[in-house]
Amino acid sequence: MARNRSSRNRTTFFFCTFLAIIALCAFVPVFAPLPSLSSHLPHDHSHSRHKKVTAQKFEIANDMFWKDGQPFQIIGGDLHYFRVLPEYWEDRLLKAKALGLNTIQTYVPWNLHEPKPGKLVFEGIADIVSFLKLCHKLGFLVMLRPGPYICAEWDLGGFPAWLLAIEPAIRLRSSDPAFLHLVEGWWAILLQKVAPLLYENGGPVIMVQIENEYGSYGNDKAYLHQLVTFARSHLGDDIILYTTDGGTRETLERGTISGDAVFSAVDFTTGDEPWPIFQLQKKFNAPGKSPPLSAEFYTGWLTHWGEKLAETDADFTAAALEKILARNGSAVLYMAHGGTNFGFYNGANTGGTESDYKPDLTSYDYDAPIRETGDVNNAKFKAIRSVIKKYSAKSLPSVPPNKEKAGYGPIDLQKKEFLFDILNRINSIGIVKSETPISMESVGQMFGFLLYVSEYAAKADGSVLSIPKVHDRAQVFISCSSEDNGGRPIFVGTMERWSNQTLGLPKIKCISNISLYVLVENMGRVNYGSYIFDRKGILSSVYLDGRILKGWKMLSFPYNNLNEVPKTNPVIAYSESIEKSARRKAKVRL
C-alpha cells in the first residue's frame, strides 16, 4: 500500500502486562490456527515447463484486458488466504462473488511458508495451492502477489526474520547477490507450485506481480529486472507480469520496468480523481498496453494500537469506485475481506523516526465490506454491491447469510506459575551468553519474548537504567538472592521504544549482586518505509549509572504454544551456513 502511513499520529496504548501473559500459560495453544511447522519439504530448483492444456488466453491489447478473445473488466478484491482459516475460505469467497467480484488478488508471505531456512510449510492456513484451486472452482480469476516483499501490514513485509540474522548483513529489496540468491531459491519452490495453475494451463492465475510498490522505497532497476528473469524462468513468457505503484510520476519512474514485458498498474487514495492518474499510468506502459487498473482501491484503512478503529463512509467509497467502473476502468478492492493477523504476524509502521513506532492490531478488519467475522449485512457491502451490479457482465448471485455466532460462556483464568519460577528448570545448554545483548534474530528466535539477564552491585541510593535502543517494549525486574523472599524478582517498570526514557532502579540492601531481568516483547516488525530492517530485542549497550553493563544471558520465550513450558532454548546456528550458501556465487557485493 502506497498511501502515507504516517498520516495517523495518535498516542499508542498498549494492553499487555506481565502477569496477564503468565496467566495465559494454562490455556490451549493460542496459535493453533497457524500451520504446523513440522512440515519439511525439499527445495525443488527444477525449471520444468508445464504444457498448456487449454486454449485459454488472458492478454492486454488496445488498452484493454482480453479474456479468451473478449474484452474483460477486472472487478476484483484482495482476500488473503493466510488471514482466513481454511474452513472459512469458501464462505468468504462466496460472499466476494455475491459482492460482484470476478477476480481475487492475494499476497504470498515468504515468512509464513519458510519460517526457518529450508523448512517449508504449505499446509493448513499456508495451503496456497488449495486456496487457488478453490478460487478456480468458484469461478474466480486470480492476481498473485508473491513479493518477495509484500508490505501488507504483515511482519517485516513478508520477509522471514531469519534474513536479519545473516552476517555480513544482506540488503533486502536490492540487487545484493546474496539476497537475490535466497529469493531465487524461494521462488523456485513457490512458482513451481503456481505454474500449473496459470490461466493458460487451465488454472485461475492471470497475472503475477513483481515486488510491491517498489517506487515508494527504492530505485534499483537491476533488482526488478532480476525478479522478472526469475519469474519468466518458472512461469514462461505468456503470463502477464505487473508492478503496482502509487499514482505519482516519481513513484512510477522508480518502481516500473520500461518496455512491454511488465504491465504497470497504479494505486491511489480513494476519492482522488482516477482518470488523470490513469492517463499518467499510460506513460509508463507501452502503446496499447495500458488498461486503466487501480490495483489497490482502498475500501478502508488499517488501525494501529491505541487508535480508534478506522472507518470510511460507505457511500463515498462506492461513489469513488463508480468513477472507475463507469468508464470501463478496472479496480481491485483493498480489502474485500481483511481477516486476521494470526499469532505474532502483525506488522508495524513508523513516523518520521525509527522510534515513532506504530504496531498494527491483530485484527485486520480494515472496515472492508466483508467484515473480519465474515458478516456482510452492512452499509458498505450493500453500497459497493449496488455499484458493481450496474457494470457486472453477469447477474450477481444472492448474498449468503452471516455465519451464526457461538457463545462459549465464561472463561476462567487460572494462574499456573510465574515465569521466573521456571527459570531454574531451563537447561543451561540452551542459554545464550554474550558480553553485550544480542538481537532476537541472532539468538534464533523470531517472535514472542526474549529475557535478558545480568547483574550489578547494589548501591545505597539506587541506580539509573538506560537502554537507548529497545525493540519494542521491555518489562524490567530485579531480585536479590539473599532476601527473605528467596530472591523472587520484583517488577520495577517498563521501557518502551517510542518513549526511550531512563528507569530508576530502587535501592536494595543486598549482600550479593542484584540480578537484573529485562523481558523484551516483539510487537511486530516494521513492514513499510525506510526502517523495515527492524531487528528485535535489545539492540544497543545497556547503561547503568552511565556505565556499560556487561555479562548477559539470553533466554527465549517464543510462546508459540502457551502449554509448552520452555525447557531448552535451541539456538539455531544457521546464520553462518546461510550466509556462506547465499554468497557462494556472489564474488562482488553491489
Side-chain angles (χ1 to χ4, degrees):
M1 297 165 52
R3 205 169 87 184
N4 185 355
R5 287 165 170 77
S6 64
S7 59
R8 300 174 182 268
N9 185 19
R10 299 187 178 92
T11 303
T12 310
F13 172 77
F14 293 91
F15 64 105
C16 180
T17 66
F18 175 73
L19 292 179
I21 293 170
I22 304 309
L24 286 174
C25 289
F27 282 80
V28 296
V30 293
F31 304 129
L34 292 177
S36 168
L37 298 186
S38 61
S39 173
H40 293 265
L41 301 180
H43 286 255
D44 179 4
H45 294 275
S46 64
H47 294 262
S48 60
R49 283 288 188 271
H50 297 268
K51 294 181 180 179
K52 299 179 184 179
V53 297
T54 72
Q56 293 182 169
K57 191 171 184 62
F58 194 89
E59 56 191 330
I60 295 174
N62 300 323
D63 288 335
M64 291 188 292
F65 295 111
W66 296 80
K67 178 176 174 284
D68 302 331
Q70 299 296 318
F72 186 80
Q73 184 180 30
I74 293 174
I75 304 178
D78 264 77
L79 194 160
H80 303 155
Y81 62 96
F82 50 90
R83 282 178 159 135
V84 183
L85 299 184
E87 53 264 43
Y88 295 125
W89 282 348
E90 186 165 359
D91 173 75
R92 305 306 194 258
L93 288 170
L94 289 173
K95 287 168 178 173
K97 184 163 283 290
L99 185 60
L101 307 186
N102 57 32
T103 304
I104 296 297
Q105 183 171 248
T106 184
Y107 288 121
V108 181
W110 183 1
N111 54 8
L112 180 69
H113 293 285
E114 194 173 11
K116 296 178 182 178
K119 186 173 186 179
L120 278 299
V121 181
F122 287 98
E123 60 187 32
I125 205 169
D127 190 353
I128 182 174
V129 171
S130 293
F131 178 78
L132 295 177
K133 288 181 176 179
L134 181 59
C135 289
H136 186 48
K137 173 187 171 184
L138 298 178
F140 285 106
L141 301 177
V142 172
M143 297 167 62
L144 195 68
R145 315 174 85 179
Y149 165 80
I150 65 172
C151 185
E153 287 71 62
W154 193 256
D155 187 79
L156 198 58
F159 286 127
W162 49 262
L163 294 176
L164 300 177
I166 297 174
E167 294 292 344
I170 61 175
R171 290 182 286 129
L172 306 181
R173 305 185 76 183
S174 81
S175 53
D176 178 348
F179 171 64
L180 286 175
H181 179 69
L182 293 167
V183 173
E184 183 180 21
W186 159 234
W187 271 18
I189 296 163
L190 173 66
L191 298 185
Q192 283 294 306
K193 294 179 179 291
V194 171
L197 299 169
L198 298 182
Y199 188 72
E200 64 190 61
N201 294 328
V205 180
I206 56 170
M207 299 170 63
V208 175
Q209 183 171 295
I210 298 298
E211 242 269 350
N212 185 57
E213 298 174 339
Y214 190 68
S216 298
Y217 174 79
N219 192 28
D220 187 342
K221 297 291 187 177
Y223 166 52
L224 298 179
H225 281 284
Q226 192 61 60
L227 293 181
V228 173
T229 299
F230 293 161
R232 292 288 183 210
S233 69
H234 296 289
L235 303 179
D237 297 328
D238 293 332
I239 183 67
I240 297 174
L241 302 180
Y242 70 109
T243 56
T244 299
D245 287 287
T248 68
R249 184 174 295 276
E250 180 183 6
T251 54
L252 286 166
E253 285 176 346
R254 289 157 57 95
T256 58
I257 300 171
S258 59
D260 61 358
V262 180
F263 166 61
S264 303
V266 292
D267 56 29
F268 45 85
T269 302
T270 301
D272 286 353
E273 286 298 325
W275 290 95
I277 298 174
F278 290 144
Q279 286 298 118
L280 178 63
Q281 176 195 4
K282 291 183 71 171
K283 298 180 185 299
F284 293 89
N285 283 304
K289 298 288 188 178
S290 192
L293 171 63
S294 173
E296 290 188 5
F297 175 88
Y298 302 116
T299 60
W301 198 240
L302 60 98
T303 304
H304 301 121
W305 280 106
E307 295 178 350
K308 181 181 178 182
L309 291 175
E311 294 181 348
T312 58
D313 182 76
D315 292 335
F316 173 83
T317 304
L321 178 62
E322 185 159 22
K323 286 184 178 181
I324 296 173
L325 301 184
R327 294 175 57 180
N328 204 36
S330 293
V332 181
L333 308 183
Y334 194 100
M335 299 290 296
H337 170 57
T340 305
N341 299 319
F342 292 110
F344 290 120
Y345 278 109
N346 66 283
N349 293 300
T350 57
T353 65
E354 188 177 6
S355 61
D356 187 9
Y357 173 74
K358 308 171 193 293
D360 298 318
L361 299 179
T362 300
S363 169
Y364 201 64
D365 179 81
Y366 214 83
D367 197 31
I370 306 172
R371 308 314 302 263
E372 183 178 17
T373 58
D375 289 354
V376 292
N377 187 22
N378 62 76
K380 186 168 288 183
F381 186 94
K382 294 174 183 176
I384 290 176
R385 185 175 190 269
S386 178
V387 166
I388 293 176
K389 189 175 182 180
K390 298 179 187 178
Y391 306 100
S392 177
K394 299 179 180 179
S395 59
L396 304 189
S398 58
V399 179
N402 293 338
K403 284 282 189 182
E404 291 187 11
K405 310 301 186 296
Y408 293 93
I411 298 175
D412 295 325
L413 300 178
Q414 294 181 348
K415 181 170 64 179
K416 190 172 181 180
E417 60 185 337
F418 287 100
L419 174 70
F420 295 107
D421 288 345
I422 68 175
L423 294 184
N424 292 333
R425 303 204 303 271
I426 295 178
N427 191 328
S428 60
I429 297 176
I431 297 175
V432 179
K433 298 180 180 180
S434 174
E435 275 297 283
T436 57
I438 59 178
S439 70
M440 277 188 177
E441 295 81 10
S442 296
V443 171
Q445 178 183 331
M446 304 306 142
F447 300 100
F449 293 72
L450 187 63
L451 182 65
Y452 294 80
V453 183
S454 188
E455 60 181 32
Y456 64 96
K459 290 178 60 177
D461 55 352
S463 297
V464 176
L465 180 70
S466 173
I467 308 178
K469 198 169 185 178
V470 59
H471 286 191
D472 300 302
R473 184 173 185 263
Q475 300 176 67
V476 179
F477 302 80
I478 59 173
S479 70
C480 174
S481 59
S482 61
E483 285 193 335
D484 294 337
N485 68 353
R488 170 167 290 197
I490 60 171
F491 176 68
V492 176
T494 60
M495 306 185 77
E496 298 157 329
R497 172 176 180 167
W498 50 93
S499 60
N500 196 25
Q501 306 237 334
T502 59
L503 181 66
L505 304 181
K507 59 182 180 181
I508 296 179
K509 293 181 179 180
C510 186
I511 59 175
S512 61
N513 280 344
I514 297 174
S515 294
L516 173 68
Y517 304 90
V518 184
L519 184 67
V520 180
E521 177 185 359
N522 169 359
M523 305 186 71
R525 292 180 181 85
V526 173
N527 58 261
Y528 180 85
S530 58
Y531 300 115
I532 64 169
F533 306 94
D534 190 19
R535 293 176 178 85
K536 296 301 183 181
I538 295 177
L539 307 178
S540 66
S541 295
V542 175
Y543 296 86
L544 193 69
D545 299 322
R547 299 173 65 88
I548 294 178
L549 185 61
K550 295 184 177 181
W552 289 89
K553 300 175 183 178
M554 276 67 66
L555 297 85
S556 291
F557 292 90
Y559 289 136
N560 294 325
N561 184 334
L562 293 182
N563 280 337
E564 296 176 357
V565 176
K567 294 181 174 59
T568 62
N569 174 28
V571 180
I572 305 165
Y574 52 73
S575 297
E576 183 178 355
S577 62
I578 293 173
E579 185 269 329
K580 288 180 180 178
S581 173
R583 295 177 185 277
R584 193 168 295 144
K585 298 180 181 179
K587 296 182 179 179
V588 180
R589 285 181 59 88
L590 300 183

